[in-house]
Amino acid sequence: MTAVRTRTAALAAAAVTITVAAAAVVLKAGHWTLYADRHRIHLTPVARRSCPDCRGAGGWWVGGANPEMEACGCWATRRELRVRLLPVPAWPDEPPF
């Protein structure tokens, strides 16, 4: 019985490791950054190094009296994805609404 439990635990650990490795490959190939905690999972797009416009910098500076950074379309026009898991607790000294 102990051998079966040990084998099951080893297979579960291997499955988790393979799943994490596959997720890392997919995120890198799709140019995403992952942030996860117990309250949310947040995926944000990343600039592509192969972009002919920004070459992975994410944008360029527009000159003038007030220089600003203009975002490149390789990442700025892509949507952010958020999955809410658990509600964020309210601060104890603030009203709930």
Side-chain angles (χ1 to χ4, degrees), residues 26-90:
V26 167
L27 288 171
K28 187 167 182 138
H31 302 283
W32 293 95
T33 299
L34 172 70
Y35 173 79
D37 62 12
R38 64 185 197 156
H39 299 292
R40 69 191 149 277
I41 298 172
H42 191 155
L43 292 168
T44 55
V46 177
R48 296 183 172 147
R49 283 193 268 159
S50 62
C51 178
D53 296 328
C54 71
R55 294 183 180 93
W60 50 89
W61 287 97
V62 178
N66 298 320
E68 294 181 353
M69 178 90 170
E70 186 171 335
C72 183
C74 70
W75 70 272
T77 57
R78 295 172 62 197
R79 293 178 47 186
E80 293 182 359
L81 303 172
R82 294 183 193 135
V83 177
R84 189 171 171 186
L85 300 175
L86 293 173
V88 178

